[in-house]
Amino acid sequence: KFIRDMQIDDSNRVWVATAGAGIYILKMDSTFFQVEDFSNLTTKKGLPSNRILSLLFDSKKRMWFASEAGVRDMCCRILR
C-alpha cells in the first residue's frame, strides 16, 4: 500500500498513513532507529476508512487524520 503521510509523536512513535491499509504505528528504538514493535489501525479497529490521506498533531497533542470519510480526531479507545 502507498504511504500518504508520516508523523512522529512525543513518544518517538512513527505514525504512517496509508492509501488502503489504515494507520501503522511504529515504536522505534531511538538508539539504532530500528522498529521495536508496531500496530495497525484499520476499519476493524474503529477507523472510518482504511484510505488515510493525512495526519496531524494539534497543540494539545491530539492526532487528527483525514480520510475518505472526513476529518476526525484519534479516539483513545481505538488505540487500546
Side-chain angles (χ1 to χ4, degrees):
K1 304 295 179 185
F2 295 108
I3 294 174
R4 303 288 304 203
D5 196 6
M6 294 175 65
Q7 295 286 328
I8 300 174
D9 67 16
D10 289 345
S11 298
N12 288 324
R13 293 178 298 183
V14 179
W15 296 67
V16 181
T18 69
I23 298 172
Y24 282 91
I25 305 169
L26 310 173
K27 181 180 176 188
M28 305 300 291
D29 174 339
S30 60
T31 306
F32 299 106
F33 203 70
Q34 296 177 345
V35 176
E36 290 181 351
D37 192 18
F38 77 94
S39 56
N40 181 221
L41 304 177
T42 63
T43 54
K44 291 180 181 178
K45 293 187 179 178
L47 290 181
S49 172
N50 286 329
R51 296 181 61 83
I52 307 299
L53 305 173
S54 62
L55 303 168
L56 174 75
F57 284 99
D58 68 14
S59 61
K60 295 180 182 178
K61 300 181 183 177
R62 290 179 300 189
M63 167 61 73
W64 290 82
F65 63 92
S67 72
E68 290 184 334
V71 176
R72 290 190 40 190
D73 65 327
M74 182 64 68
C75 176
C76 296
R77 291 179 301 228
I78 293 173
L79 298 176
R80 294 184 183 167

